[in-house]
Structure formats: C-alpha cells, structure tokens
Amino acid sequence: MTRVFVSQGPGGLENQGRLIMSAEQLRRALVRISHEILERNERPVAVIGMQTRGVDLAHRIADLIDSIENSETDFGTLDPRLYRDDLGGADKPVQPSQISFAIDGRPVVLVDDVLYTGRTIRAALDALLDFGRPSSIQLAVLVDRGHRELPIRADYVGKNVPTARGEDVRVLLEEVDGSDGVALVRRNEAPADSGGKA
Amino acid sequence: MARTRTATTAPERPREGSANPEAQTSQETPATQRRRAERARGSQPSMFGGLSGSRKNVLDLDDFSKEEIEHILQSADGMNEVLSRNVRKTPTLRGKTILTLFFENSTRTRVSFEQAGKVLGADVINVSASASSVAKGESLLNTVRTLEAMKIDVLVMRHPHSGAPYFVASKIDAAVVNAGDGTHAHPTQSLLDLYTMRRHLGDIAGKKVAIIGDLHFSRVARSDVWGLRKMGAEVRVCGPPTLLPYGLRPGTEKPDSAAFTGIKVVDRVEETLEGADVVMALRIQRERQDSGNLPDLREYSKLYGINADRLALANPGALLMHPGPMNEGIEISSEVAHGAQAVIEEQVSNGVAIRMAVLYLLCPRSATRD
C-alpha cells in the first residue's frame, strides 16, 4: 500500500491516504478522455469546468484537445452551488461562472473531479441551462466513486473506484495542491460535507 | 456496459518527450494563455473555512473577523456575475421567506435587499411601519413575534433606535440583518463600501480613506470604520467639532463607541484629503439635527463640502463615495457627485451583490449534505 502525503483539507481529514492514481496515471487518463471526447464529437465541443478542481482538469483537457487537433477549444467555468438542493458549500465563497461564449446548439463537456451522489452534477445541469441550450451536455470526471443518489452517469471516466461512504476521494492537482495524484482517505469523524465530492 | 468499457480502456501510451509536464507548460498556446487569463479574472482559491454556518445574524461588523469579511466580498463577485446575466434568477433560496421591516424611510437599502432576495429565488415581503399595526401602537416585540409566526427565515430591519435589531435578534429564531439602527450601525453598507473600494483599488490594506462630515450621527461611518480597520486601511476623519463622536470631539475623553478607537482626526478638511485613496462624504442627516449641533448648512458646505478643488487634493484617481441619498450642494457638489471619480451609483449596484452574499450565508441550511 502506497502512502502519500495529502495536503490539509477542510474538516481535518487524515493526512495519510492510499494512492489510487499517480501523477502519470492521472495524466494518461486525461489524455485518453481528451481523445474520447474528440472521437465522439464531430463538432467542436466547449469544455466547462466545475469549481474548484474541475476547472483545472477542464483547463488541461481543453489544452490537450487543442494540442491534438490544433484547435482553439472554448473553455468556461461554472460554480453550481447556487443551484444546489441543500444550500451546501456556502462555507467557501461563491465564484463567478465565466462562460464568455454562446453555448446554444453545441456540445458541452462538463468536467468535475469526483462523481459521487450526482447532486452536484444535477445542480450544474440546472446552472448550465440558465446560460443557454446546448445541443448536448456530456460529463467527464476523473474519478467515479459510486454511491449515486440520482440517475446520473458520466460519459468519460478517468478511473472507477469502489469506495465506502466513510471514505473520501482526494484529488490533488498541481495547480491547487502542488502535485498531481488521487488518494483514498478514511474520513476522520469529520463533518459530512468536508471534501466529500458529489 | 459501454460505460465500463470506457473506463477500463487501456490508457494511451505516453509519447516520449512530450510526456513530461514541463513540456506541456512550456509550449503554451494562445488559447491556453487566454484560458489562464480568463480564470485569473474572477476566481481566487479560498484560503480559509469561511463562515461554516455559525453566524446567525448580521448586526454590525464589530463581531466579524477579517476572514469573514473577505468571504463575503469574494462571494459578492459570484453574485455580481449572476446579476450580469440576461436572466437574473437562481433557485438558491427557493422556498425561503425574507421579510423587510422598515421603521424609517429608505429607497436603496430596502429595494436592494428585495432585489437580492428575489434574484436568489426567495420570497420577499416588505413591511413598512407606517402602513402596519405599528401605527396602531403595537410594540416592536409583538410586531416581530407576529411576523415570525408567519414563518420567515430572515428579518431585515431598520429602526430609528440604536440597538433595536439586537433586542429583536435575542427574541426570535429567524436570522436578523441590521439594515440601519439609529446612529449605531449599518453593516451591509460598510460591506458594499469595502467591496467597491476593493474592486477599484485592489487590496484595501494600507489604503488611505478620508471620511468627512457628520460622524456623530452616522451609522454608516461607524460600521465603515469597523470594516476598514479590520481590513487594514488607514482611516482619517474630519467634521465639525460638534458632529464628531465623543472621544474624538475636542474636550471629550470617553469614546461613545469602540468603533472610533485608532483612527486619526484631522482639523482641516484639506489636510484630511491630501493623498487620500478614497474620499467619502457623509450625508448631513437633517432628520437627526434637532439638537442644534449644526447651526448652518451654508457654513458646513463652505467648510466641509467636497467640491472639485478639494477632491483635487486627494490622490489622482481617488474614489469619491457617498452612502446616499445625497444632499447635492451641501456635503458634495453636483459637479463631483456626477464626475469621473464618483462611484456612487456603483456602490448601489454592488449593494445588491453584497446583500445576496449576506442572505445566502444566513439562510438556514438543511441538515442533509453529501
């Protein structure tokens, strides 16, 4: 079992976790997802990342698509918290959603780090539809950890990880945490909302 | 099935050379740079836990930490983005009821709270004391208890007596937002002032803010000074000696409020303005001047009114602010009030975003989270 140092998350998560994706595996997963996106979409897609780490992943995917296709992929950010059903996540400031292009009639790929209950994605779909009417919305996630509470599935998955509810999936990205990797950590009697991604 | 196959497809082999992260970052395409710039515009990662649902009321800024203020200012960026959309409506506070109870007249504060609540999807009920049972002699306590019995989540109140919202907050379960109490506090005005300053000047710490006018009766000034000091600004005040608060007024020692400790009082308005980054003219509140503190408005205007000559003493590009409503020609000349340096209307627009951020943080959260 590989041990990694997990940067201090909110709610006092344990600092030790089991590494389930290395930096290299994470990079390869994003390369594969980028190819899959191109394979399945004939028309250029817009890539929209969900705050916070989804934004960094979306940024990387857009860059990868550009390097593969020599294109200029539209990129936006979305903060779905104002659309949640539980007013959750108010302990971090709401970020502006920045979608500076029309999404009407074109395919949009939503990007998030971890797919869990599906409630955040549900909120993101509502938020996105307030900006226009895309021809399709597809979902790309780095980790699918199961435990869905809504009929939502991802179109592009970096890694399927069976988890227990008492565990948290921590996605670390160079942009935010200083290094890349995904770790599975046991929740340390922390509040239910700390770092648990939906 | 297709999903499983997708997930277990063998990852593409990394190509030699282009595989390492350095190679990716060094060859930044224009699109990448544009993305980076786009992201840098609005989003800053939060370095702190925020309010974590602990705050029930917003009564004044004295019990706010710098982090809490920062949290609200950052959230207001997100709220401003919602206000800039074609369809200004989110379902965030659907099913919540916000009640505004105003015992004093108001245009901007009341409408701003109403707009903030409605954009976030809440139901907003407005009650003005003159058109309610208060006019029949109902007590404040009975009025708010009656209103709370009809299920409200947030009570936004303005009252001519300092401290009234504190009394109400101690008696009811709904969250209370002070929208101005007597001469005491007006926290959301202070937050929107801080937000407006920050949008133009960046970090407020170390900035010189000159506040001119009636500091004795000004609840705006009291809350502003709390907020500015917490954010590390340098505050200088100037006004007629009779309109300075106790403690700052010549010949008085005991301050009437802890708000005004640690700020600089300057005798001459010119000296106050020199090198200021922000010039804030306070309203002469004629409704509070019965005690004869201010003998003559023309004299006030001549000695303390902000005009183009005086504004020129401040830093080039200094912001001119006013909490409104303005008495043009008394504390501020029409020329500068509508000039290039004035951000007075922007203060009003930012007020909606700030109040959205405050309501969003106060509305009770359901226990279920994922």
Side-chain angles (χ1 to χ4, degrees):
Chain A
M1 186 186 289
T2 323
R3 289 282 181 185
V4 289
F5 179 76
V6 178
S7 73
Q8 187 65 47
L13 290 170
E14 272 190 344
N15 275 351
Q16 297 290 320
R18 185 162 61 88
L19 189 72
I20 51 177
M21 266 180 120
S22 68
E24 184 58 20
Q25 283 168 326
L26 191 152
R27 191 193 64 79
R28 286 181 195 174
L30 292 181
V31 168
R32 173 174 52 76
I33 287 173
S34 306
H35 278 284
E36 282 175 3
I37 290 172
L38 285 169
E39 194 179 355
R40 280 203 221 160
N41 291 281
E42 289 189 358
R43 289 188 297 151
V45 297
V47 179
I48 293 178
M50 289 158 59
Q51 298 287 358
T52 309
R53 284 175 182 79
V55 171
D56 295 301
L57 291 172
H59 192 151
R60 291 196 201 178
I61 288 174
D63 282 355
L64 286 166
I65 290 176
D66 284 358
S67 67
I68 297 163
E69 286 291 283
N70 198 18
S71 56
E72 280 210 9
T73 303
D74 281 328
F75 163 80
T77 69
L78 192 68
D79 188 336
R81 274 176 293 162
L82 293 178
Y83 293 80
R84 286 183 69 103
D85 51 12
D86 59 357
L87 284 177
D91 48 349
K92 274 189 237 152
V94 178
Q95 304 280 352
S97 297
Q98 289 166 345
I99 302 176
S100 54
F101 46 87
I103 59 170
D104 297 272
R106 54 186 298 194
V108 169
V109 177
L110 264 180
V111 183
D112 202 2
D113 52 356
V114 181
L115 179 57
Y116 183 21
T117 61
R119 290 180 189 268
T120 306
I121 304 299
R122 202 278 311 154
L125 291 174
D126 279 356
L128 194 58
L129 292 173
D130 269 5
F131 283 89
R133 188 179 183 281
S135 64
S136 69
I137 302 177
Q138 300 157 33
L139 176 63
V141 297
L142 186 61
V143 174
D144 181 347
R145 61 168 294 192
H147 302 288
R148 213 80 75 240
E149 293 169 2
L150 297 173
I152 281 171
R153 61 158 176 76
D155 301 273
Y156 313 99
V157 180
K159 190 178 173 77
N160 280 300
V161 181
T163 60
R165 280 192 182 268
E167 292 169 321
D168 270 327
V169 175
R170 296 283 300 165
V171 172
L172 307 182
L173 295 176
E174 207 171 337
E175 295 90 326
V176 192
D177 312 285
S179 64
D180 281 354
V182 181
L184 197 60
V185 292
R186 181 151 289 282
R187 204 175 292 163
N188 194 9
E189 292 300 311
D193 61 324
S194 61
K197 294 291 163 52
Chain B
M1 288 317 286
R3 284 294 80 61
T4 349
R5 199 171 302 128
T6 303
T8 51
T9 309
E12 198 199 56
R13 274 164 187 275
R15 268 171 245 118
E16 310 296 325
S18 70
N20 60 52
E22 290 83 29
Q24 276 177 19
T25 47
S26 63
Q27 48 180 20
E28 275 200 3
T29 63
T32 306
Q33 286 161 4
R34 188 161 41 78
R35 262 169 223 141
R36 204 172 292 284
E38 197 150 301
R39 290 177 44 189
R41 251 195 296 143
S43 58
Q44 303 140 303
S46 157
M47 295 307 199
F48 39 83
L51 300 186
S52 6
S54 58
R55 176 168 290 280
K56 184 187 157 236
N57 306 305
V58 174
L59 300 173
D60 195 1
L61 289 191
D62 56 355
D63 62 346
F64 272 69
S65 66
K66 186 182 180 212
E67 287 70 30
E68 274 184 301
I69 294 174
E70 188 72 31
H71 180 106
I72 291 179
L73 301 186
Q74 282 192 25
S75 290
D77 276 339
M79 300 304 179
N80 248 331
E81 181 268 314
V82 174
L83 290 169
S84 70
R85 293 181 193 172
N86 289 332
V87 179
R88 291 181 293 272
K89 193 81 167 175
T90 70
T92 319
L93 302 183
R94 201 165 56 94
K96 305 284 181 204
T97 304
I98 295 163
L99 191 133
T100 69
L101 176 62
F102 276 60
F103 290 85
E104 269 183 20
N105 296 336
S106 165
T107 311
R108 70 210 76 228
T109 307
R110 197 195 60 70
V111 175
S112 163
F113 270 109
E114 181 174 357
Q115 171 76 338
K118 285 183 169 167
V119 169
L120 287 177
D123 291 302
V124 185
I125 302 171
N126 299 305
V127 177
S128 64
S130 55
S132 70
S133 288
V134 172
K136 296 181 190 165
E138 191 174 42
S139 73
L140 175 61
L141 182 58
N142 285 341
T143 301
V144 295
R145 282 198 172 142
T146 304
L147 294 170
E148 196 187 28
M150 295 183 227
K151 307 288 177 211
I152 57 169
D153 297 287
V154 182
L155 174 70
V156 177
M157 81 175 268
R158 168 169 288 188
H159 199 279
H161 292 166
S162 302
Y166 289 76
F167 168 70
V168 169
S170 70
K171 300 290 181 195
I172 67 172
D173 290 330
V176 177
V177 180
N178 183 1
D181 62 331
T183 63
H184 174 249
H186 194 350
T188 56
Q189 175 74 37
S190 171
L191 289 168
L192 74 89
D193 286 343
L194 295 173
Y195 182 67
T196 307
M197 289 178 208
R198 208 170 72 143
R199 287 199 111 189
H200 287 271
L201 304 172
D203 192 0
I204 301 168
K207 296 288 185 300
K208 298 181 180 69
V209 180
I211 304 180
I212 291 117
D214 171 4
L215 284 114
H216 183 54
F217 292 106
S218 177
R219 56 191 174 209
V220 174
R222 268 183 186 71
S223 287
D224 267 337
V225 170
W226 274 122
L228 287 164
R229 279 176 50 214
K230 294 204 181 215
M231 302 309 282
E234 185 189 310
V235 185
R236 287 179 284 184
V237 302
C238 177
T242 51
L243 290 177
L244 289 176
Y246 296 113
L248 301 183
R249 198 182 289 191
T252 61
E253 275 174 23
K254 193 175 164 290
D256 65 344
S257 156
F260 289 118
T261 50
I263 59 169
K264 204 170 152 195
V265 190
V266 186
D267 292 337
R268 285 177 56 248
V269 68
E270 284 78 10
E271 205 181 315
T272 321
L273 294 172
E274 267 166 31
D277 298 299
V278 177
V279 177
M280 191 182 295
L282 298 173
R283 179 170 72 94
I284 289 295
Q285 305 179 67
R286 283 186 263 194
E287 72 271 24
R288 296 190 222 277
Q289 300 297 353
D290 300 335
S291 48
N293 292 35
L294 187 67
D296 184 38
L297 286 177
R298 274 197 304 171
E299 185 190 14
Y300 177 85
S301 174
K302 196 173 158 218
L303 290 174
Y304 299 98
I306 302 301
N307 52 34
D309 289 342
R310 288 194 172 135
L311 190 57
L313 297 170
N315 270 346
L319 303 179
L320 176 63
M321 301 174 72
H322 189 293
M326 293 186 283
N327 298 305
E328 283 185 32
I330 299 176
E331 70 263 7
I332 190 165
S333 77
S334 300
E335 182 191 6
V336 293
H338 302 284
Q341 283 170 268
V343 291
I344 297 162
E345 276 168 35
E346 197 188 317
Q347 284 175 274
V348 178
S349 312
N350 289 339
V352 180
I354 283 288
R355 283 159 186 138
M356 284 168 75
V358 167
L359 293 175
Y360 176 57
L361 289 166
L362 286 183
C363 268
R365 284 135 219 177
S366 70
T368 56
R369 295 200 202 163
D370 51 20

